[in-house]
Amino acid sequence: MVLHSPIKKEEVPLSTSDLSYVLTPPPSLELEASLSSSSSDDGIGVPSTKKQNASANGISSSSFRCESDQPASSKKKDEPHTKVHEDIKSVTKSWWGSMLNGYSVICRLTIVLVVILSWYYAHRIIAGSTEQHDEMLEYEEYDDEEVEDLAPWDIWGKGFDFDKQRDFWIADEDLPHDLAADLQSTNDDIKNEALARRQLDPSRWDTFGYWEIYHYYACDKILFSSPRPVWSEQLFRNVRDFYHAFVENNDFPSSTYQANDDVYDMSQNAIPYQSGGNKGRGLKAARDIKRGDVIFKSSNNTIIFNDGHSFRKFLFEMNERFADPGMVCDILVWAWVQDVAGEIPYAGVVDLDNGNLLNDFGLGDNLNADLESIKDYVNIRCRGATLECYANKDIAEGDELLGDYSDFVSYYSWTSMGL
């Protein structure tokens, strides 16, 4: 609401430019104090009656002034205050101008700074990603002692303690026929395994460690007496369905889960085959692969177990479901312990697809390979918690895919998970 008095003939209305500075709040309390002291006799701005009206309408007299409210007869009387108005106008314009100029400089500097920082961090991210990728593809050098400590079979730990005294012992008259036959085997591995089985109490399955489960299901005999078949896609699908049912039927809210929701078809890059020798099954290139190409990675088929008991129970219930100890043995040798990010330092991991058939460069005929020849064997590098595996070099179609388990395996760590 704007208050005004009628304009008399002898009064000259203020121009727009004059009104703009008069209606502008004073830049400081000092100027207003100066203005008030210099006009204490006659007053400048709203007359007393107008001030009362303005106050009644919620308008402060200190923030509302209009020279047109003055009678024409007071113009001469107010001439001494002309200089005060000019000072207000000059100071006000100077104040707003400096503020606008200051903000302009700050805004320009801010924009320049944002552009520089954006370029810097974008360059760092791109360069870091490139360096990490290149570093991953280059084979890491190990000295003799390190390579000896990273023997591929150590992925499964130190083995069964045959010297440990156990309370349980199956008497001769209670021996199952297959166990009695294995105790008479000429194969030392099968015979020793049968000895271990004789000491394992089935009622205490929930206390078994990794190697106790391994020998309880006679995995030495199953895996090495004859070649194990390559799993069909239907069998993998059946086991994945069983896993989902297992999670629903057990109270494992955070003990086991799928690595992610990604669906990845690795068949375009790698296909399973019987590689022969001690390696058994393996993977070979399904096409010519260029260095740096992704071969396979973790997906919704990758299962993670955060504790040993959930993994142990999964194995025993799987055997009950499929009645095939060989499947348990397959899962045992396909699984590994990995150092994962988060609150859980170690987790058991297994792929429920053919990605688990990747062999280590040191298996089979390469077990005692010269250390200088390591680079000749490894053609896949795997890195990160998501476990993406890339071609380390150009790979011809049909060549066997060989990795280095130490890229992603935490050795001697099954006991850290209670196994």
Side-chain angles (χ1 to χ4, degrees):
M1 177 178 179
V2 178
L3 301 177
H4 64 83
S5 59
I7 300 176
K8 298 180 180 180
K9 290 182 180 180
E10 61 270 20
E11 291 179 327
V12 180
L14 293 176
S15 66
T16 303
S17 60
D18 291 333
L19 284 172
S20 67
Y21 79 81
V22 175
L23 293 175
T24 303
S28 66
L29 293 175
E30 289 79 8
L31 284 175
E32 183 156 0
S34 172
L35 177 62
S36 299
S37 62
S38 64
S39 60
S40 59
D41 295 331
D42 302 309
I44 293 180
V46 182
S48 59
T49 57
K50 302 270 179 158
K51 291 179 181 177
Q52 293 173 0
N53 293 336
S55 298
N57 287 277
I59 303 175
S60 173
S61 61
S62 64
S63 62
F64 181 85
R65 291 177 175 81
C66 183
E67 287 189 41
S68 62
D69 290 331
Q70 300 184 68
S73 59
S74 67
K75 287 293 184 179
K76 282 187 177 181
K77 197 172 182 179
D78 290 341
E79 284 179 359
H81 303 294
T82 303
K83 181 172 177 59
V84 176
H85 284 290
E86 292 177 351
D87 289 344
I88 293 174
K89 179 178 180 180
S90 175
V91 173
T92 303
K93 286 184 175 181
S94 175
W95 180 68
W96 279 109
S98 63
M99 286 293 292
L100 290 174
N101 289 336
Y103 283 131
S104 177
V105 172
I106 293 174
C107 288
R108 290 171 183 170
L109 290 176
T110 301
I111 292 172
V112 172
L113 182 61
V114 169
V115 171
I116 292 175
L117 290 175
S118 298
W119 175 86
Y120 173 76
Y121 284 109
H123 176 74
R124 286 284 302 272
I125 292 172
I126 294 173
S129 177
T130 302
E131 290 176 1
Q132 183 181 17
H133 184 261
D134 290 342
E135 179 183 355
M136 181 191 64
L137 295 179
E138 293 299 329
Y139 195 83
E140 185 177 353
E141 295 287 352
Y142 299 107
D143 58 33
D144 291 4
E145 182 178 353
E146 288 176 322
V147 174
E148 183 178 352
D149 289 342
L150 297 178
W153 289 111
D154 289 341
I155 181 176
W156 297 289
K158 293 292 188 180
F160 186 85
D161 185 2
F162 291 96
D163 296 328
K164 180 179 178 180
Q165 297 296 319
R166 294 175 173 82
D167 297 332
F168 185 78
W169 182 265
I170 301 177
D172 291 343
E173 59 273 17
D174 297 326
L175 286 173
H177 294 296
D178 63 327
L179 181 54
D182 290 344
L183 286 170
Q184 303 299 321
S185 175
T186 57
N187 184 305
D188 290 340
D189 291 333
I190 294 177
K191 186 175 182 178
N192 288 333
E193 182 172 67
L195 179 62
R197 291 164 60 195
R198 190 173 190 175
Q199 302 175 65
L200 296 174
D201 183 356
S203 66
R204 301 188 61 190
W205 66 270
D206 57 341
T207 66
F208 287 178
Y210 179 94
W211 282 103
E212 290 171 321
I213 300 172
Y214 180 91
H215 291 307
Y216 180 81
Y217 285 107
C219 291
D220 261 348
K221 181 174 69 172
I222 290 174
L223 294 174
F224 299 105
S225 296
S226 58
R228 284 289 297 161
V230 173
W231 285 26
S232 66
E233 179 54 38
Q234 183 60 52
L235 182 55
F236 275 122
R237 189 176 296 112
N238 292 342
V239 174
R240 291 194 291 265
D241 290 341
F242 163 74
Y243 171 78
H244 291 301
F246 169 78
V247 173
E248 291 179 2
N249 296 331
N250 290 276
D251 185 19
F252 293 138
S254 60
S255 296
T256 180
Y257 51 92
Q258 295 167 273
N260 52 59
D261 295 327
D262 296 343
V263 176
Y264 186 76
D265 181 13
M266 60 170 288
S267 62
Q268 58 185 329
N269 300 319
I271 55 177
Y273 80 115
Q274 290 288 353
S275 59
N278 291 332
K279 289 187 294 184
R281 296 155 292 185
L283 293 174
K284 62 181 179 180
R287 60 178 177 85
D288 290 337
I289 300 173
K290 295 296 183 181
R291 181 179 185 270
D293 286 354
V294 177
I295 307 299
F296 48 84
K297 61 181 181 179
S298 296
S299 68
N300 60 349
N301 294 335
T302 303
I303 309 303
I304 297 176
F305 296 88
N306 282 339
D307 63 72
H309 181 63
S310 59
F311 182 55
R312 180 193 297 117
K313 191 170 185 180
F314 171 75
L315 295 173
F316 276 86
E317 289 194 13
M318 187 176 71
N319 184 63
E320 292 179 4
R321 163 64 178 81
F322 295 98
D324 184 354
M327 293 176 62
V328 175
C329 295
D330 285 339
I331 295 294
L332 277 170
V333 296
W334 289 339
W336 70 90
V337 178
Q338 184 173 337
D339 187 0
V340 295
E343 298 180 359
I344 306 299
Y346 296 107
V349 186
V350 63
D351 289 322
L352 297 183
D353 58 29
N354 283 320
N356 52 45
L357 297 181
L358 175 68
N359 279 322
D360 185 90
F361 73 91
L363 295 178
D365 295 336
N366 300 335
L367 186 58
N368 297 315
D370 187 274
L371 296 179
E372 296 297 326
S373 303
I374 290 177
K375 291 182 181 180
D376 297 333
Y377 296 115
V378 175
N379 52 23
I380 287 183
R381 303 306 308 275
C382 301
R383 281 289 188 268
T386 57
L387 200 65
E388 291 188 340
C389 298
Y390 298 81
N392 186 48
K393 59 182 70 175
D394 290 345
I395 306 173
E397 179 180 355
D399 284 356
E400 184 177 13
L401 302 179
L402 293 173
D404 182 350
Y405 286 166
S406 64
D407 279 348
F408 52 91
V409 171
S410 295
Y411 291 91
Y412 313 119
S413 296
W414 281 115
T415 54
S416 301
M417 292 186 59
L419 291 174

